Amino acid sequence: MKGKIVMAGGTGFTGEYFKKKFEEEGYQVIIISRNPSYINWDHTSKIKEAIEGSELLLNLAGKSVNCRYHKKNRDEIFQSRTETTKLLGECVLSCQTPPKLWINASTATIYRHSDDQAMTEENGEIGEGFSVEVAKAWEKSFFSFSLPTTRQIALRISIVLGKNGGVMTPYRNLAKYGLGGKQGNGKQMFSWIHIEDLYQVIRFLMEKKDATGIYNCAAPNPINNKEFMKAVRNMENRKRGLPAYRWMLELGAIFLRTETELLLKSRWVVPDRLVNEGFPFTYPTIEQALDEIKH
């Protein structure tokens, strides 16, 4: 057994993938979740016990943003990120042997709507609006802790693409049923990362003992929405797809109980730090990523 990995919020699409990968490498994986099968957030003593002496504390916890942003959901989105991060930080502080590394999820949505330039860790411009405020509060909660023996890294994660779940399921269905055209004007940038590359980023940062601070987690070749939807259609052997104009998306979002921001915000995010520090992307282009997902 290599050591202990503690994952908070590790029961979703990404968390389940990571758990399988870590276990294949010989790590013991402990999950903190609202799911009664795992350590519950109310059991602070068990959380502390789990974190004690761990190789990595990985926090992926947070209510899905795929919902309508009314007050109840807004409050839950905020609290599910900031309060869990605060609780984990307090547990780390109380450990006799704190984790070597604490990686906290954040989001590439923290940057402004950008169709004029790429957002890097150093030169990225923070945006405005509800999603940005969530991201800022999330990172503030994380970096409010001063932990002398635990490295802290926040991952500004872009859209995660992978097999058998996540966002690829609805995108593939749109293409299959002839609805895989551009969304809005199609010019909004689409930053993404293959789930295997995201896992390898975490392994890379575990081994890179001087790595701290903020990292953008996105493939080095973002594309626009029109190009992405064309790639999805090609994946499904569909030459054409009906476009979804903004008014259609606004109407559909009401019935689907979601927000059009998830589709229409231009996210142009690039992983400068990872590239400069030599991280080898396995799926740097959308064609390579979708080819793996297809098979």
Side-chain angles (χ1 to χ4, degrees):
M1 189 67 69
K2 278 189 173 182
K4 187 166 55 172
I5 306 287
V6 180
M7 286 204 304
T11 57
F13 172 66
T14 303
E16 288 180 355
Y17 185 91
F18 287 178
K19 181 176 185 293
K20 181 174 180 290
K21 294 288 293 189
F22 277 125
E23 289 178 340
E24 286 174 352
E25 286 198 48
Y27 287 98
Q28 176 191 7
V29 179
I30 300 173
I31 304 292
I32 304 167
S33 171
R34 293 182 182 82
N35 186 315
S37 301
Y38 302 103
I39 296 176
N40 193 275
W41 285 103
D42 295 330
H43 298 155
T44 306
S45 61
K46 290 185 179 180
I47 293 173
K48 179 188 170 184
E49 181 183 346
I51 293 172
E52 188 79 45
S54 59
E55 293 291 314
L56 169 67
L57 170 59
L58 176 59
N59 182 21
L60 305 171
K63 175 181 168 61
S64 172
V65 295
N66 186 15
C67 60
R68 296 297 286 178
Y69 292 164
H70 55 63
K71 187 179 185 308
K72 182 175 181 292
N73 282 342
R74 284 173 181 250
D75 290 346
E76 288 182 5
I77 288 169
F78 256 101
Q79 291 170 7
S80 64
R81 286 162 174 76
T82 58
E83 294 303 314
T84 53
T85 299
K86 181 182 177 183
L87 188 152
L88 291 173
E90 290 169 349
C91 288
V92 171
L93 282 173
S94 68
C95 286
Q96 290 187 344
T97 308
K100 296 176 182 177
L101 173 61
W102 178 10
I103 294 179
N104 219 61
S106 181
T107 172
T109 299
I110 197 169
Y111 298 112
R112 68 169 172 84
H113 176 99
S114 177
D115 52 14
D116 59 333
Q117 68 180 68
M119 300 287 120
T120 67
E121 294 93 342
E122 184 176 354
N123 299 315
E125 299 171 10
I126 305 302
E128 298 178 345
F130 171 68
S131 296
V132 172
E133 292 306 314
V134 171
K136 286 163 60 178
W138 202 1
E139 291 186 5
K140 183 179 179 181
S141 178
F142 177 56
F143 286 116
S144 68
F145 291 95
S146 178
L147 307 172
T149 61
T150 300
R151 288 188 294 127
Q152 290 173 258
I153 297 174
L155 300 183
R156 290 177 175 171
I157 303 172
S158 55
I159 305 296
V160 180
L161 306 182
K163 290 181 181 178
N164 305 319
V167 301
M168 282 310 304
T169 298
Y171 277 122
R172 295 186 74 172
N173 285 337
L174 285 173
K176 285 176 184 177
Y177 296 113
L179 301 172
K182 66 182 181 181
Q183 293 155 337
N185 63 22
K187 295 178 181 179
Q188 68 272 30
M189 293 300 291
F190 182 83
S191 287
W192 56 275
I193 187 168
H194 190 285
I195 195 167
E196 175 62 19
D197 275 333
L198 182 57
Y199 174 74
Q200 293 301 334
V201 165
I202 291 167
R203 294 295 291 113
F204 177 79
L205 296 174
M206 287 175 70
E207 299 300 323
K208 188 174 172 55
K209 305 304 183 185
D210 60 343
T212 60
I214 292 168
Y215 281 81
N216 286 346
C217 285
N221 297 292
I223 55 177
N224 66 33
N225 173 267
K226 183 178 179 180
E227 293 166 330
F228 173 65
M229 294 310 299
K230 181 179 180 181
V232 174
R233 292 198 306 275
N234 289 340
M235 176 186 185
E236 298 297 335
N237 296 313
R238 298 290 191 272
K239 290 185 178 181
R240 295 180 178 81
L242 292 174
Y245 298 107
R246 176 181 282 271
W247 68 267
M248 297 166 69
L249 294 171
E250 295 284 0
L251 186 62
I254 296 172
F255 289 102
L256 295 174
R257 306 182 70 80
T258 187
E259 295 285 342
T260 57
E261 177 194 36
L262 302 176
L263 296 174
L264 297 179
K265 181 173 180 177
S266 186
R267 297 173 173 86
W268 191 350
V269 180
V270 292
D272 261 21
R273 288 195 69 185
L274 288 173
V275 170
N276 293 337
E277 293 171 17
F279 176 75
F281 283 89
T282 303
Y283 304 101
T285 70
I286 196 66
E287 290 78 17
Q288 290 168 304
L290 295 187
D291 185 63
E292 190 282 332
I293 291 168
K294 180 179 179 179
H295 294 102

